[in-house]
Amino acid sequence: MKKSISLLIIFISLWSCSNKQANIEEVLESNDMERLREMKSQLSQQQMQIKDDLTKINQKLQKLDTTDQSSLVTTLQLNDTLFKHYLEIQGDVDTDKNIVIYPEYSGILKTISVKEGDEVRAGQILARIDDGGLSSQLAQIETQLSLAKTTFERQERLWKQKIGSEIQFLEAKSNFESVQNSAKQLRAQLAKTIVRAPFSGTIDQVIADEGQVVNPGQNALFRLVNLDEMYITAEVPESYLGKINKGTEVQIQFAALDKSIAGSINQVANYINPNNRSFEVKINLPAKTQGIKPNQIATLKINDYTAQNAIVIPESILQENAAGEHIAYVFKPTEKNKGIAHKRKVKTGLTYDNKIEIKAGLKAGEIIIIEGARSMRDQQKVKTKA
Protein backbone atom coordinates (compact mmCIF):
# COMPACT_ATOMS: atom_id res chain seq x y z
CA MET A 1 0.00 0.00 0.00
CA LYS A 2 2.73 2.45 1.01
CA LYS A 3 4.73 1.67 -2.16
CA SER A 4 1.72 2.26 -4.47
CA ILE A 5 0.94 5.64 -2.92
CA SER A 6 4.59 6.71 -3.20
CA LEU A 7 4.70 5.76 -6.96
CA LEU A 8 1.49 7.68 -7.57
CA ILE A 9 2.89 10.80 -5.91
CA ILE A 10 6.05 10.61 -8.01
CA PHE A 11 4.09 10.18 -11.26
CA ILE A 12 1.78 13.08 -10.50
CA SER A 13 4.69 15.28 -9.49
CA LEU A 14 6.65 14.54 -12.70
CA TRP A 15 3.63 15.18 -14.91
CA SER A 16 2.72 18.36 -13.05
CA CYS A 17 6.31 19.67 -13.13
CA SER A 18 6.54 19.06 -16.89
CA ASN A 19 3.40 21.05 -17.62
CA LYS A 20 4.31 23.80 -15.16
CA GLN A 21 7.77 24.17 -16.68
CA ALA A 22 6.23 24.78 -20.14
CA ASN A 23 3.76 27.31 -18.68
CA ILE A 24 6.49 29.10 -16.71
CA GLU A 25 8.70 29.41 -19.79
CA GLU A 26 5.79 30.90 -21.75
CA VAL A 27 4.99 33.42 -19.02
CA LEU A 28 8.66 34.40 -18.62
CA GLU A 29 9.00 35.04 -22.36
CA SER A 30 5.88 37.23 -22.36
CA ASN A 31 7.52 39.83 -20.03
CA ASP A 32 4.01 40.56 -18.77
CA MET A 33 4.17 41.67 -15.12
CA GLU A 34 0.52 40.86 -14.44
CA ARG A 35 0.94 37.30 -15.73
CA LEU A 36 4.16 36.90 -13.77
CA ARG A 37 2.48 38.01 -10.54
CA GLU A 38 -0.47 35.71 -11.21
CA MET A 39 1.88 32.77 -11.88
CA LYS A 40 3.76 33.53 -8.66
CA SER A 41 0.52 33.56 -6.68
CA GLN A 42 -0.59 30.27 -8.22
CA LEU A 43 2.74 28.58 -7.47
CA SER A 44 2.65 29.81 -3.84
CA GLN A 45 -0.84 28.37 -3.38
CA GLN A 46 0.20 25.11 -4.99
CA GLN A 47 3.25 24.94 -2.72
CA MET A 48 1.08 25.32 0.36
CA GLN A 49 -1.38 22.74 -0.94
CA ILE A 50 1.41 20.25 -1.65
CA LYS A 51 2.81 20.79 1.83
CA ASP A 52 -0.62 20.12 3.38
CA ASP A 53 -1.12 17.05 1.19
CA LEU A 54 2.29 15.66 2.14
CA THR A 55 1.47 16.13 5.82
CA LYS A 56 -1.80 14.21 5.41
CA ILE A 57 -0.08 11.46 3.43
CA ASN A 58 2.66 11.13 6.07
CA GLN A 59 0.05 10.89 8.80
CA LYS A 60 -1.83 8.21 6.83
CA LEU A 61 1.40 6.32 6.16
CA GLN A 62 2.22 6.34 9.85
CA LYS A 63 -1.16 4.79 10.63
CA LEU A 64 -0.90 2.15 7.91
CA ASP A 65 2.75 1.28 8.51
CA THR A 66 3.04 -1.37 11.19
CA THR A 67 6.83 -1.00 11.51
CA ASP A 68 8.23 1.19 14.32
CA GLN A 69 8.99 4.60 12.77
CA SER A 70 9.65 6.35 16.09
CA SER A 71 12.60 8.73 16.14
CA LEU A 72 15.22 8.16 18.81
CA VAL A 73 15.53 11.15 21.17
CA THR A 74 16.88 12.16 24.56
CA THR A 75 14.76 14.02 27.07
CA LEU A 76 15.12 16.25 30.11
CA GLN A 77 12.67 16.85 32.94
CA LEU A 78 12.33 20.54 33.77
CA ASN A 79 12.89 21.84 37.29
CA ASP A 80 12.88 25.28 38.85
CA THR A 81 16.45 26.57 39.00
CA LEU A 82 18.49 29.69 39.65
CA PHE A 83 19.38 31.54 36.46
CA LYS A 84 22.07 34.23 36.35
CA HIS A 85 23.09 36.39 33.42
CA TYR A 86 26.49 38.07 33.32
CA LEU A 87 27.82 41.05 31.39
CA GLU A 88 31.37 40.33 30.21
CA ILE A 89 33.79 43.27 29.91
CA GLN A 90 37.49 43.92 30.31
CA GLY A 91 39.06 45.79 33.21
CA ASP A 92 42.52 46.93 34.32
CA VAL A 93 44.26 46.19 37.60
CA ASP A 94 45.45 49.29 39.41
CA THR A 95 46.65 50.47 42.82
CA ASP A 96 46.96 53.88 44.42
CA LYS A 97 50.19 52.72 46.05
CA ASN A 98 52.33 52.51 42.95
CA ILE A 99 54.49 55.62 42.88
CA VAL A 100 57.82 56.98 41.71
CA ILE A 101 59.71 58.75 44.50
CA TYR A 102 61.47 62.04 43.67
CA PRO A 103 63.88 64.03 45.87
CA GLU A 104 62.76 67.15 47.72
CA TYR A 105 66.26 68.60 47.95
CA SER A 106 68.93 69.40 45.37
CA GLY A 107 72.33 67.82 45.88
CA ILE A 108 74.51 64.77 45.44
CA LEU A 109 72.86 61.43 46.20
CA LYS A 110 75.16 60.36 49.00
CA THR A 111 73.89 56.91 49.96
CA ILE A 112 71.20 54.46 48.83
CA SER A 113 70.07 52.20 51.67
CA VAL A 114 67.85 49.73 49.77
CA LYS A 115 67.97 47.53 46.70
CA GLU A 116 65.35 46.29 44.27
CA GLY A 117 62.97 43.76 45.79
CA ASP A 118 63.45 44.98 49.38
CA GLU A 119 60.36 45.15 51.59
CA VAL A 120 60.24 48.50 53.39
CA ARG A 121 57.98 49.99 56.03
CA ALA A 122 56.45 53.45 56.12
CA GLY A 123 59.02 56.06 57.22
CA GLN A 124 62.04 53.84 56.57
CA ILE A 125 65.13 55.65 55.23
CA LEU A 126 65.73 54.84 51.56
CA ALA A 127 68.53 57.28 50.69
CA ARG A 128 70.43 60.36 51.86
CA ILE A 129 71.35 63.48 49.88
CA ASP A 130 74.43 65.55 50.78
CA ASP A 131 73.13 68.50 52.81
CA GLY A 132 75.73 70.96 51.54
CA GLY A 133 76.64 72.26 55.03
CA LEU A 134 73.12 72.45 56.46
CA SER A 135 74.12 70.28 59.42
CA SER A 136 76.85 72.75 60.42
CA GLN A 137 74.47 75.68 60.04
CA LEU A 138 71.90 73.92 62.18
CA ALA A 139 74.50 73.21 64.89
CA GLN A 140 75.38 76.93 65.02
CA ILE A 141 71.74 77.96 65.11
CA GLU A 142 70.98 75.51 67.89
CA THR A 143 73.86 77.03 69.95
CA GLN A 144 72.39 80.47 69.37
CA LEU A 145 68.95 79.11 70.21
CA SER A 146 70.17 77.75 73.53
CA LEU A 147 71.66 81.16 74.45
CA ALA A 148 68.56 83.03 73.26
CA LYS A 149 66.34 80.73 75.29
CA THR A 150 68.41 81.21 78.44
CA THR A 151 68.40 85.00 77.97
CA PHE A 152 64.63 85.08 77.35
CA GLU A 153 63.86 82.93 80.40
CA ARG A 154 66.08 85.18 82.59
CA GLN A 155 64.44 88.38 81.32
CA GLU A 156 61.02 86.80 81.78
CA ARG A 157 61.74 86.03 85.46
CA LEU A 158 63.06 89.56 86.05
CA TRP A 159 60.07 91.09 84.29
CA LYS A 160 57.68 89.09 86.48
CA GLN A 161 59.60 90.46 89.52
CA LYS A 162 59.22 93.99 88.10
CA ILE A 163 62.99 94.20 87.59
CA GLY A 164 64.37 95.63 84.37
CA SER A 165 62.60 97.34 81.50
CA GLU A 166 59.82 96.00 79.32
CA ILE A 167 61.91 96.66 76.18
CA GLN A 168 64.62 94.29 77.40
CA PHE A 169 62.04 91.56 77.95
CA LEU A 170 60.47 92.07 74.52
CA GLU A 171 63.85 92.12 72.77
CA ALA A 172 64.87 88.85 74.45
CA LYS A 173 61.53 87.27 73.51
CA SER A 174 61.75 88.44 69.90
CA ASN A 175 65.32 87.22 69.53
CA PHE A 176 64.45 83.82 70.99
CA GLU A 177 61.43 83.37 68.65
CA SER A 178 63.47 84.49 65.63
CA VAL A 179 66.30 82.03 66.31
CA GLN A 180 63.73 79.34 67.10
CA ASN A 181 62.05 79.85 63.67
CA SER A 182 65.42 79.79 61.92
CA ALA A 183 66.28 76.48 63.58
CA LYS A 184 62.85 75.07 62.64
CA GLN A 185 63.36 76.01 58.97
CA LEU A 186 66.83 74.48 58.91
CA ARG A 187 65.55 71.26 60.46
CA ALA A 188 62.79 71.08 57.81
CA GLN A 189 65.33 71.61 55.03
CA LEU A 190 67.70 69.05 56.54
CA ALA A 191 64.83 66.52 56.79
CA LYS A 192 64.38 66.79 53.02
CA THR A 193 67.89 65.43 52.51
CA ILE A 194 66.69 62.11 53.92
CA VAL A 195 64.45 60.16 51.54
CA ARG A 196 61.88 58.04 53.39
CA ALA A 197 59.24 55.54 52.27
CA PRO A 198 55.80 57.23 52.29
CA PHE A 199 54.08 53.85 52.86
CA SER A 200 54.99 50.21 53.35
CA GLY A 201 55.69 48.22 50.20
CA THR A 202 58.31 46.79 47.89
CA ILE A 203 61.13 48.65 46.14
CA ASP A 204 60.27 47.64 42.60
CA GLN A 205 62.98 49.71 40.96
CA VAL A 206 66.07 51.69 42.01
CA ILE A 207 66.32 54.38 39.35
CA ALA A 208 69.12 56.70 40.53
CA ASP A 209 72.77 55.95 41.37
CA GLU A 210 74.93 57.00 44.29
CA GLY A 211 76.97 60.11 43.49
CA GLN A 212 74.38 61.41 41.04
CA VAL A 213 73.24 65.03 41.32
CA VAL A 214 69.49 65.04 41.85
CA ASN A 215 66.89 67.80 41.74
CA PRO A 216 63.27 67.96 42.94
CA GLY A 217 60.76 66.92 40.28
CA GLN A 218 63.47 66.04 37.75
CA ASN A 219 65.39 62.98 38.86
CA ALA A 220 63.42 59.90 39.92
CA LEU A 221 64.95 57.84 42.72
CA PHE A 222 62.77 54.75 43.33
CA ARG A 223 59.53 53.05 42.33
CA LEU A 224 57.64 51.87 45.42
CA VAL A 225 54.70 49.46 45.04
CA ASN A 226 52.26 48.00 47.54
CA LEU A 227 50.14 45.12 46.16
CA ASP A 228 47.96 44.76 49.27
CA GLU A 229 45.38 47.34 48.12
CA MET A 230 44.85 46.66 44.43
CA TYR A 231 41.57 47.13 42.57
CA ILE A 232 40.12 46.77 39.09
CA THR A 233 38.45 49.53 37.11
CA ALA A 234 36.24 48.97 34.07
CA GLU A 235 33.94 50.96 31.79
CA VAL A 236 30.33 49.73 31.69
CA PRO A 237 27.87 50.79 28.95
CA GLU A 238 25.27 53.34 30.06
CA SER A 239 22.43 50.91 29.26
CA TYR A 240 23.38 48.83 32.32
CA LEU A 241 23.14 51.76 34.74
CA GLY A 242 20.01 50.45 36.48
CA LYS A 243 21.25 46.86 36.67
CA ILE A 244 24.65 47.27 38.32
CA ASN A 245 25.03 48.65 41.83
CA LYS A 246 27.42 48.62 44.75
CA GLY A 247 27.65 45.03 46.00
CA THR A 248 26.78 43.42 42.65
CA GLU A 249 28.46 40.01 42.24
CA VAL A 250 31.48 39.82 39.91
CA GLN A 251 33.53 36.88 38.66
CA ILE A 252 37.09 37.97 37.84
CA GLN A 253 39.21 35.97 35.42
CA PHE A 254 42.92 36.43 34.72
CA ALA A 255 43.68 34.63 31.46
CA ALA A 256 47.44 35.10 31.80
CA LEU A 257 47.42 33.32 35.17
CA ASP A 258 44.59 30.86 34.44
CA LYS A 259 43.02 32.08 37.68
CA SER A 260 39.49 33.11 38.70
CA ILE A 261 38.38 34.83 41.89
CA ALA A 262 35.04 36.09 43.20
CA GLY A 263 34.42 39.72 44.04
CA SER A 264 31.81 42.46 44.14
CA ILE A 265 31.36 46.03 42.95
CA ASN A 266 32.78 48.43 45.56
CA GLN A 267 32.06 51.68 43.79
CA VAL A 268 29.86 52.87 40.92
CA ALA A 269 30.76 56.22 39.39
CA ASN A 270 28.19 59.03 39.44
CA TYR A 271 29.47 60.36 36.13
CA ILE A 272 28.69 59.23 32.56
CA ASN A 273 31.61 59.61 30.15
CA PRO A 274 30.17 61.62 27.21
CA ASN A 275 32.78 60.22 24.81
CA ASN A 276 31.71 56.57 25.03
CA ARG A 277 28.46 56.76 27.09
CA SER A 278 29.81 54.58 29.87
CA PHE A 279 30.35 54.74 33.63
CA GLU A 280 33.21 53.38 35.71
CA VAL A 281 33.02 50.62 38.30
CA LYS A 282 35.65 49.65 40.86
CA ILE A 283 36.24 46.19 42.33
CA ASN A 284 38.68 45.78 45.22
CA LEU A 285 40.95 42.73 45.05
CA PRO A 286 41.69 40.59 48.11
CA ALA A 287 45.00 41.39 49.80
CA LYS A 288 47.99 39.19 48.99
CA THR A 289 46.45 37.85 45.76
CA GLN A 290 49.35 35.94 44.25
CA GLY A 291 50.59 36.77 40.76
CA ILE A 292 48.38 39.78 40.04
CA LYS A 293 50.20 42.95 38.98
CA PRO A 294 49.16 46.57 38.32
CA ASN A 295 48.08 47.25 34.70
CA GLN A 296 47.19 43.58 34.19
CA ILE A 297 44.07 42.89 32.09
CA ALA A 298 41.16 41.08 33.72
CA THR A 299 37.89 39.76 32.29
CA LEU A 300 34.92 40.72 34.45
CA LYS A 301 31.64 38.81 34.50
CA ILE A 302 29.19 41.15 36.20
CA ASN A 303 25.88 39.66 37.34
CA ASP A 304 23.34 42.03 35.76
CA TYR A 305 20.27 39.74 36.02
CA THR A 306 19.15 36.98 38.41
CA ALA A 307 15.94 34.93 38.33
CA GLN A 308 14.83 32.63 41.12
CA ASN A 309 12.81 29.48 40.29
CA ALA A 310 13.46 29.92 36.57
CA ILE A 311 12.88 27.42 33.75
CA VAL A 312 16.14 27.07 31.81
CA ILE A 313 16.77 24.92 28.72
CA PRO A 314 19.63 24.51 26.22
CA GLU A 315 19.38 27.28 23.63
CA SER A 316 20.33 24.89 20.82
CA ILE A 317 17.09 22.83 21.02
CA LEU A 318 14.77 25.69 20.03
CA GLN A 319 13.30 25.92 16.55
CA GLU A 320 12.11 29.20 15.01
CA ASN A 321 9.13 29.39 12.66
CA ALA A 322 8.45 31.86 9.84
CA ALA A 323 6.74 34.24 12.26
CA GLY A 324 9.88 34.41 14.42
CA GLU A 325 8.28 32.38 17.23
CA HIS A 326 10.40 29.96 19.24
CA ILE A 327 9.33 26.33 19.36
CA ALA A 328 10.20 23.56 21.83
CA TYR A 329 8.90 19.99 21.92
CA VAL A 330 7.38 18.39 24.98
CA PHE A 331 7.55 14.61 25.37
CA LYS A 332 4.25 12.95 26.28
CA PRO A 333 4.83 9.28 27.16
CA THR A 334 2.46 6.64 25.78
CA GLU A 335 4.24 3.49 26.88
CA LYS A 336 7.64 2.47 28.18
CA ASN A 337 10.39 4.49 26.43
CA LYS A 338 7.87 5.72 23.82
CA GLY A 339 5.77 8.82 23.39
CA ILE A 340 4.54 11.68 21.21
CA ALA A 341 6.30 15.00 20.55
CA HIS A 342 4.01 17.98 21.16
CA LYS A 343 4.93 21.35 19.70
CA ARG A 344 5.00 24.19 22.24
CA LYS A 345 5.44 27.90 21.52
CA VAL A 346 7.60 29.52 24.20
CA LYS A 347 8.50 33.04 25.27
CA THR A 348 12.23 33.38 25.83
CA GLY A 349 14.33 35.58 28.12
CA LEU A 350 18.06 36.16 28.37
CA THR A 351 20.69 33.70 27.19
CA TYR A 352 23.96 32.91 28.94
CA ASP A 353 26.48 30.09 28.59
CA ASN A 354 24.31 28.31 25.95
CA LYS A 355 21.34 28.30 28.35
CA ILE A 356 18.17 30.32 27.80
CA GLU A 357 15.48 31.30 30.28
CA ILE A 358 11.89 30.40 29.31
CA LYS A 359 9.46 33.08 30.46
CA ALA A 360 6.29 31.29 29.33
CA GLY A 361 5.24 28.10 27.55
CA LEU A 362 6.97 25.51 29.73
CA LYS A 363 6.67 24.61 33.39
CA ALA A 364 8.48 22.57 35.99
CA GLY A 365 7.78 18.83 35.82
CA GLU A 366 7.32 18.71 32.06
CA ILE A 367 9.69 16.63 29.93
CA ILE A 368 11.27 18.26 26.88
CA ILE A 369 13.09 16.70 23.95
CA ILE A 370 16.79 17.54 23.79
CA GLU A 371 18.64 15.46 21.21
CA GLY A 372 16.63 15.40 17.98
CA ALA A 373 14.56 18.50 18.84
CA ARG A 374 15.83 20.54 15.88
CA SER A 375 14.32 18.12 13.33
CA MET A 376 11.15 17.29 15.26
CA ARG A 377 7.54 17.62 13.99
CA ASP A 378 4.35 18.05 15.94
CA GLN A 379 2.68 14.77 16.94
CA GLN A 380 5.73 12.77 15.81
CA LYS A 381 6.23 9.39 17.43
CA VAL A 382 9.46 9.21 19.41
CA LYS A 383 11.26 6.78 21.64
CA THR A 384 13.87 7.45 24.29
CA LYS A 385 17.13 5.69 24.88
CA ALA A 386 16.67 2.87 27.38
Side-chain angles (χ1 to χ4, degrees):
M1 181 70 176
K2 178 179 178 183
K3 185 176 181 181
S4 299
I5 293 175
S6 299
L7 289 172
L8 178 61
I9 291 172
I10 294 171
F11 175 76
I12 292 172
S13 298
L14 290 173
W15 178 81
S16 176
C17 287
S18 177
N19 288 332
K20 285 176 183 175
Q21 186 66 31
N23 291 336
I24 291 172
E25 292 296 335
E26 181 184 342
V27 173
L28 289 173
E29 290 176 0
S30 71
N31 293 325
D32 187 332
M33 291 184 64
E34 290 299 325
R35 292 184 66 186
L36 288 166
R37 289 194 180 100
E38 184 179 354
M39 177 62 74
K40 179 183 177 181
S41 177
Q42 289 176 3
L43 291 174
S44 297
Q45 292 176 2
Q46 290 171 6
Q47 184 183 25
M48 293 176 64
Q49 183 62 46
I50 290 171
K51 185 177 180 181
D52 291 340
D53 290 343
L54 285 172
T55 301
K56 292 176 182 177
I57 290 171
N58 283 327
Q59 290 175 349
K60 189 65 175 179
L61 285 171
Q62 288 179 4
K63 290 181 180 179
L64 296 174
D65 194 356
T66 57
T67 60
D68 188 0
Q69 299 294 323
S70 301
S71 298
L72 188 63
V73 298
T74 60
T75 60
L76 173 70
Q77 184 171 2
L78 298 177
N79 295 298
D80 292 334
T81 187
L82 176 67
F83 176 73
K84 290 186 177 184
H85 183 271
Y86 292 89
L87 164 68
E88 294 191 16
I89 56 175
Q90 280 195 339
D92 297 309
V93 179
D94 202 354
T95 176
D96 292 331
K97 293 186 175 181
N98 176 16
I99 64 168
V100 174
I101 299 174
Y102 286 85
E104 296 183 273
Y105 189 81
S106 297
I108 298 173
L109 190 58
K110 191 175 180 180
T111 58
I112 295 177
S113 305
V114 293
K115 61 182 182 297
E116 292 180 357
D118 282 357
E119 298 286 337
V120 298
R121 61 185 182 279
Q124 182 175 330
I125 296 175
L126 307 180
R128 294 178 183 272
I129 301 171
D130 186 73
D131 60 27
L134 279 181
S135 300
S136 299
Q137 293 180 42
L138 180 60
Q140 295 176 4
I141 288 292
E142 286 180 339
T143 300
Q144 296 175 19
L145 179 61
S146 178
L147 177 60
K149 181 180 180 182
T150 301
T151 302
F152 167 66
E153 290 174 347
R154 181 169 176 248
Q155 288 296 329
E156 186 178 33
R157 288 195 300 271
L158 291 173
W159 175 246
K160 288 179 179 179
Q161 296 173 12
K162 305 299 182 183
I163 302 173
S165 64
E166 182 180 6
I167 192 66
Q168 290 176 318
F169 167 71
L170 293 176
E171 284 178 349
K173 180 181 179 182
S174 176
N175 183 56
F176 170 60
E177 291 175 348
S178 175
V179 176
Q180 192 177 42
N181 288 333
S182 296
K184 184 178 180 180
Q185 291 176 4
L186 278 174
R187 290 193 195 98
Q189 281 187 292
L190 194 59
K192 292 179 180 180
T193 66
I194 301 175
V195 181
R196 298 179 183 273
F199 54 81
S200 298
T202 303
I203 300 297
D204 199 56
Q205 187 179 8
V206 177
I207 304 171
D209 298 313
E210 288 186 0
Q212 178 181 338
V213 177
V214 295
N215 295 287
Q218 296 182 20
N219 304 103
L221 304 180
F222 309 96
R223 176 176 289 279
L224 178 63
V225 180
N226 187 317
L227 301 183
D228 291 343
E229 298 179 20
M230 291 189 293
Y231 56 86
I232 297 174
T233 57
E235 297 288 331
V236 179
E238 181 183 9
S239 57
Y240 290 89
L241 192 58
K243 302 176 182 178
I244 296 175
N245 303 288
K246 183 178 180 181
T248 296
E249 173 195 344
V250 182
Q251 294 179 10
I252 308 167
Q253 295 181 337
F254 299 95
L257 302 174
D258 192 23
K259 175 184 289 188
S260 297
I261 59 176
S264 61
I265 301 290
N266 295 96
Q267 183 179 339
V268 177
N270 296 312
Y271 170 77
I272 301 294
N273 188 334
N275 296 322
N276 58 8
R277 307 309 306 172
S278 67
F279 61 95
E280 188 177 83
V281 295
K282 179 179 178 181
I283 303 101
N284 290 341
L285 289 173
K288 305 294 184 182
T289 306
Q290 293 295 323
I292 299 174
K293 309 294 183 185
N295 300 318
Q296 191 170 345
I297 294 175
T299 298
L300 305 179
K301 294 183 178 182
I302 304 176
N303 178 213
D304 62 322
Y305 173 78
T306 300
Q308 302 285 345
N309 301 322
I311 298 297
V312 180
I313 66 172
E315 183 185 14
S316 59
I317 72 169
L318 290 179
Q319 294 185 23
E320 187 173 346
N321 61 21
E325 298 171 318
H326 290 97
I327 306 297
Y329 283 88
V330 176
F331 176 80
K332 296 290 186 180
T334 55
E335 54 183 297
K336 184 179 179 181
N337 297 333
K338 292 185 179 181
I340 303 294
H342 290 263
K343 182 171 71 173
R344 189 75 63 81
K345 294 179 182 179
V346 298
K347 181 181 179 182
T348 58
L350 293 176
T351 301
Y352 184 74
D353 196 22
N354 300 319
K355 302 288 185 181
I356 187 166
E357 182 188 11
I358 301 300
K359 294 284 193 177
L362 296 173
K363 59 184 179 181
E366 290 187 310
I367 302 172
I368 60 169
I369 295 174
I370 302 297
E371 187 178 338
R374 296 286 293 180
S375 58
M376 197 58 51
R377 302 188 312 274
D378 191 28
Q379 301 299 317
Q380 183 175 343
K381 291 180 180 180
V382 294
K383 59 183 178 181
T384 60
K385 295 178 180 178

